[in-house]
Amino acid sequence: HLLRAASVDVARDYELVEIERECAWRVVAPYKAVVPVQGALFRLDDRTLALVNPPSIDDALAARIAALGIVSLIVNTTGGHGDGAARCAAHFPNAALWGTDARTMHKQPQLAWTGFLGGDGGGGGGGAAQQPFANLGLECYFVDGHYAREAIVVHRASRTAVITDTLMFARYDARMSLRFAWYMWLFGMWYGEGVDAADDAARPLRAQTYNHFIVSDARAMRRALHAALG
């Protein structure tokens, strides 16, 4: 599985969808009613749950997640999305909270962060700086070579890779704000024109990742991606 934003529509409601029986779920919540943030919920080897790339869930969605088991781990996989981390941490205060940006703490310094992937959160991770959850069946790879401070998380039991914004598929929608459309274009995260939504499932995955304004060392980023996905 490759959890990607193409599977949800702009401003879609809160969502929890099973993608692998009793093992992996897609979690979606709108961010400021502009764009959906898609995260993942995984059953770990110890039977507890991990929220990866936590979206800004509401009380009802948190209750549905809690009904599946104990959330023991929250992993924020990009420099952004701090709002989602804060909301999930509030709903699951006993979960260990990991991020990727030790410098800004994802603009949520009040949270009780357990640790940060990639050492100082600013790079130098070599693609696999830390594997704090490997004994639980969850592998983490810090993506070097760009400023977004992201990590790819691989859940081996469900054969799922969460790539967050390292590879982003977007389709313009009339409900998408002009500001967000410019944001997508500026950072290179754009799919192109003339794509029929009904054709998505039949088409090869075509997308862009961050452009040269974000990537500081293309070779280092390439090495990190190969380490995670190769």
Side-chain angles (χ1 to χ4, degrees):
H1 300 285
L2 196 64
L3 299 183
R4 59 192 178 100
S7 60
V8 294
D9 296 324
V10 174
R12 188 161 182 170
D13 290 336
Y14 300 90
E15 185 177 272
L16 179 65
V17 178
E18 188 176 61
I19 60 173
E20 190 79 13
R21 184 172 175 80
E22 289 295 320
C23 188
W25 296 260
R26 185 175 69 234
V27 184
V28 181
Y31 176 66
K32 295 184 178 180
V34 173
V35 62
V37 172
Q38 183 174 220
L41 181 70
F42 295 126
R43 182 84 62 190
L44 300 175
D45 289 354
D46 65 356
R47 308 304 297 167
T48 63
L49 299 170
L51 262 170
V52 178
N53 188 35
S56 301
I57 63 176
D58 62 358
D59 292 346
L61 185 52
R64 293 178 63 192
I65 292 171
L68 295 172
I70 297 173
V71 177
S72 64
L73 177 64
I74 299 170
V75 185
N76 198 39
T77 50
T78 184
H81 299 187
D83 180 73
R87 295 199 187 196
C88 288
H91 285 294
F92 307 107
N94 294 323
L97 179 62
W98 282 75
T100 57
D101 187 0
R103 294 175 181 173
T104 70
M105 296 185 178
H106 302 275
K107 298 182 179 180
Q108 302 290 339
Q110 79 283 2
L111 299 180
W113 294 97
T114 304
F116 296 91
L117 302 168
D120 65 356
Q130 296 174 316
Q131 293 294 345
F133 327 119
N135 63 320
L136 297 174
L138 207 63
E139 299 178 11
C140 300
Y141 300 87
F142 188 85
V143 181
D144 294 313
H146 68 92
Y147 298 115
R149 299 173 299 280
E150 294 188 0
I152 291 174
V153 174
V154 179
H155 182 239
R156 290 299 177 186
S158 64
R159 306 177 308 282
T160 302
V162 179
I163 55 178
T164 314
D165 293 343
T166 300
L167 179 64
M168 189 162 180
F169 178 106
R171 183 175 60 250
Y172 182 78
D173 186 283
R175 294 167 294 175
M176 185 184 294
S177 69
L178 182 61
R179 177 183 178 186
F180 185 72
W182 274 105
Y183 170 86
M184 297 291 289
W185 177 84
L186 177 64
F187 291 129
M189 299 182 291
W190 199 250
Y191 186 89
E193 298 179 357
V195 179
D196 186 347
D199 292 338
D200 284 349
R203 290 174 178 268
L205 177 63
R206 292 183 294 171
Q208 292 184 4
T209 184
Y210 293 115
N211 63 21
H212 62 277
F213 290 110
I214 296 297
V215 176
S216 58
D217 188 336
R219 291 184 178 180
M221 184 175 179
R222 198 173 297 117
R223 285 195 301 268
L225 293 175
H226 278 296
L229 303 176

